[in-house]
Amino acid sequence: MKSLLELVKVVSDYRLDNVAIFSIHNRKDKNSKYNQFLDGVLKESFKNDKEAAHVLYDTDNESIKYRVLKNRIKERIYNNVLFIDTGKRESNSYAGVYLKLYRHLIVSKFLVGLNAKTAGYELMNKVLNKAIKYQLHDIVQQCALHFRRQSLLEGSNSRFDYFNDLFHKANDNLMAEVKAEELYYTIMMTINFNVSASNSSELLEKAKECSKSITDLREKYQTYFINYYDHSIKSIYFQLISDFSSAVASCDRFDTYLQENPIFYSDARHANNLVIKGSCYLHLANYKKGIDCAREALPLYAEGSENWFILQELYFLLLFNSNDLYGATDIFCNMITHPRFNYTRAHQQELWKVFGGYLWFMINYYNDERCLKLLAQRKQTFRFSKLLNEVPIFSRDKKGMNVAVLILQILLLLERRDYVKIISRMEALKSYTYRNLGKDDAYRSHYFIKMLLAMEKMQFDPVKTQLKTTELLDKLRLADLNYTSTQTRMEIISYERLWNIALDMVKEKKPVKSYLAG
């Protein structure tokens, strides 16, 4: 009752019934400057401050009237943020608890500062207990500091020691998590922004060091985020060294951790883990398990979200390489015609166009009438002549997806048996290979293109070509196939399989039946 009386007094003294907030969606006085400004912002009528100031006050944006109005609206919206309804989130989910605890922490600090200490510390104690449960160490730190200060004023040695120890423990855990995050970001920054180091000995050494460091941290600190970063770093390292079985094992260990600690589970975390496993199964050619992972993950992402589109890329590759051409065709049509497709990154849109090219090639090779019928129904066509024009980003990526496009062009010409055009392209392709595809950073692509060059040199004779390329094929097999290597290149289909198809096409003597346009 004492804390309730303090709360009522604070509300009464500070007239919180007149707090400066407003409803953005249910505003009565549409003619007030506040509402005119909000309407313009919500309807995107104002492109900048200059336009808003001119419409509202017929002045420039440096006028005092305009700046005061804008600042007052911001202050009211800041107040509104404190009252955002998070009911859409499960109250006991990690995200729901996170938001609620930070709001209550602010309220408890205000109450203590306003001398409503009984109410303030009562709420802060609830915040502290839940923060300990959910391992929100920065909140534990702040609460422990307040209670340590209170115990000093009360002269309680036992409470001071308890909260002092609690603060230092929370601080140690927080610093360990900060270090773990730093290790993870170190690898990701190198992968995403340092192209010269991607997949190089420098990156591998850095990933190895980070993996060892995170292991040392996990042995000492058993927090959720330490376990999360331990799994993230090790799964990356294992994939970089092509130890995909160990990467799957890391995913399984993290899944077990989430099962044993359900308060840290979320659909997004589970889905991300499934995507990593699915990608590893793709490399291991265990397509069935990979497809199972993709199907389990799909309903866990919001349809049309960025992660959902990325998962669809993996799902397509798994079906495509398992030779489920109809399933891959269905996904391709769904993605290309999805209402959110044009809102995806340009890189993703070009990737699906390359997928489409390889899909058309395989459908033609197998003469799959079901897939052709489905493509016709969905009004999807492929034009060989437009292939390079539709992928300008990839065309600049000399060690990446541009390689997949160039190889696709040769395969499509082989399918047509247009040997004259192939020959005319081979000298340029040879120069491209030696200029851009070194043996170290593009091992498999280098040797596969050399095999295509050897085929042309042997005048497309299948027997002579096989004899000439035996050694090159052995070298190609020494390296792991690379579907997704640090965003630099991608084998849509393994080169070994493409090579068998290429040889089969030059062996074939019957008339060509092609459904390709252009």
Side-chain angles (χ1 to χ4, degrees), residues 30 61 95 117 201 239 322 382 426 441:
K30 296 291 184 179
N61 55 294
K117 293 186 177 180
S201 56
Q239 290 177 79
S322 70
F382 173 75
M426 281 304 182
D441 60 350

Side-chain angles (χ1 to χ4, degrees), residues 179-243:
K179 179 60 179 177
E181 184 180 63
E182 178 189 333
L183 294 171
Y184 174 69
Y185 286 171
T186 297
I187 296 176
M188 294 307 297
M189 289 291 288
T190 304
I191 290 174
N192 292 330
F193 302 106
N194 188 353
V195 177
S196 63
S198 295
N199 224 22
S200 67
S201 56
E202 177 189 340
L203 172 59
L204 293 177
E205 187 59 33
K206 190 170 289 186
K208 184 178 180 180
E209 290 174 6
C210 290
S211 180
K212 182 180 182 303
S213 297
I214 194 67
T215 297
D216 294 339
L217 280 175
R218 190 172 65 86
E219 289 175 355
K220 189 173 180 180
Y221 301 95
Q222 277 296 318
T223 72
Y224 161 70
F225 278 111
I226 296 292
N227 277 275
Y228 168 76
Y229 287 121
D230 175 72
H231 159 60
S232 299
I233 291 170
K234 286 179 178 173
S235 65
I236 292 171
Y237 174 62
F238 289 138
Q239 290 177 79
L240 287 173
I241 63 173
S242 301
D243 186 356

Side-chain angles (χ1 to χ4, degrees), residues 183-410:
L183 294 171
Y184 174 69
Y185 286 171
T186 297
I187 296 176
M188 294 307 297
M189 289 291 288
T190 304
I191 290 174
N192 292 330
F193 302 106
N194 188 353
V195 177
S196 63
S198 295
N199 224 22
S200 67
S201 56
E202 177 189 340
L203 172 59
L204 293 177
E205 187 59 33
K206 190 170 289 186
K208 184 178 180 180
E209 290 174 6
C210 290
S211 180
K212 182 180 182 303
S213 297
I214 194 67
T215 297
D216 294 339
L217 280 175
R218 190 172 65 86
E219 289 175 355
K220 189 173 180 180
Y221 301 95
Q222 277 296 318
T223 72
Y224 161 70
F225 278 111
I226 296 292
N227 277 275
Y228 168 76
Y229 287 121
D230 175 72
H231 159 60
S232 299
I233 291 170
K234 286 179 178 173
S235 65
I236 292 171
Y237 174 62
F238 289 138
Q239 290 177 79
L240 287 173
I241 63 173
S242 301
D243 186 356
F244 299 105
S245 296
S246 293
V248 170
S250 178
C251 291
D252 289 337
R253 283 193 297 273
F254 189 60
D255 271 335
T256 300
Y257 178 86
L258 291 177
Q259 290 169 9
E260 293 173 350
N261 299 271
I263 61 172
F264 300 115
Y265 171 87
S266 72
D267 286 347
R269 286 169 186 159
H270 183 49
N272 292 342
N273 219 27
L274 289 167
V275 170
I276 295 172
K277 287 174 68 173
S279 178
C280 290
Y281 285 132
L282 176 63
H283 285 81
L284 292 168
N286 192 336
Y287 305 123
K288 183 180 183 304
K289 284 191 175 181
I291 290 168
D292 289 342
C293 287
R295 286 174 176 166
E296 185 180 348
L298 274 172
L300 302 179
Y301 287 134
E303 182 177 331
S305 65
E306 183 175 2
N307 284 336
W308 184 79
F309 272 106
I310 291 172
L311 174 56
Q312 295 286 359
E313 294 169 15
L314 173 64
Y315 193 18
F316 173 87
L317 288 171
L318 286 161
L319 291 172
F320 197 35
N321 283 274
S322 70
N323 220 29
D324 183 355
L325 285 182
Y326 189 84
T329 303
D330 186 47
I331 289 180
F332 172 77
C333 292
N334 289 338
M335 293 303 100
I336 291 291
T337 59
H338 194 278
R340 296 294 304 172
F341 180 74
N342 290 331
Y343 294 94
T344 61
R345 290 175 290 125
H347 179 279
Q348 287 179 288
Q349 294 179 38
E350 289 192 11
L351 182 61
W352 280 104
K353 289 174 183 176
V354 178
F355 283 174
Y358 276 89
L359 183 64
W360 274 97
F361 168 72
M362 294 297 285
I363 289 172
N364 273 277
Y365 174 72
Y366 287 109
N367 193 20
D368 194 318
E369 296 289 349
R370 288 178 69 228
C371 292
L372 289 166
K373 184 178 178 181
L374 178 58
L375 287 168
Q377 288 173 347
R378 304 294 292 274
K379 298 180 181 179
Q380 294 300 313
T381 58
F382 173 75
R383 290 195 172 273
F384 175 73
S385 58
K386 289 186 176 181
L387 181 59
L388 278 180
N389 294 331
E390 291 184 340
V391 288
I393 296 175
F394 290 162
S395 297
R396 298 191 296 270
D397 182 14
K398 299 305 181 184
K399 291 187 178 182
M401 284 302 298
N402 191 43
V403 179
V405 175
L406 294 175
I407 288 172
L408 176 59
Q409 286 183 311
I410 299 298

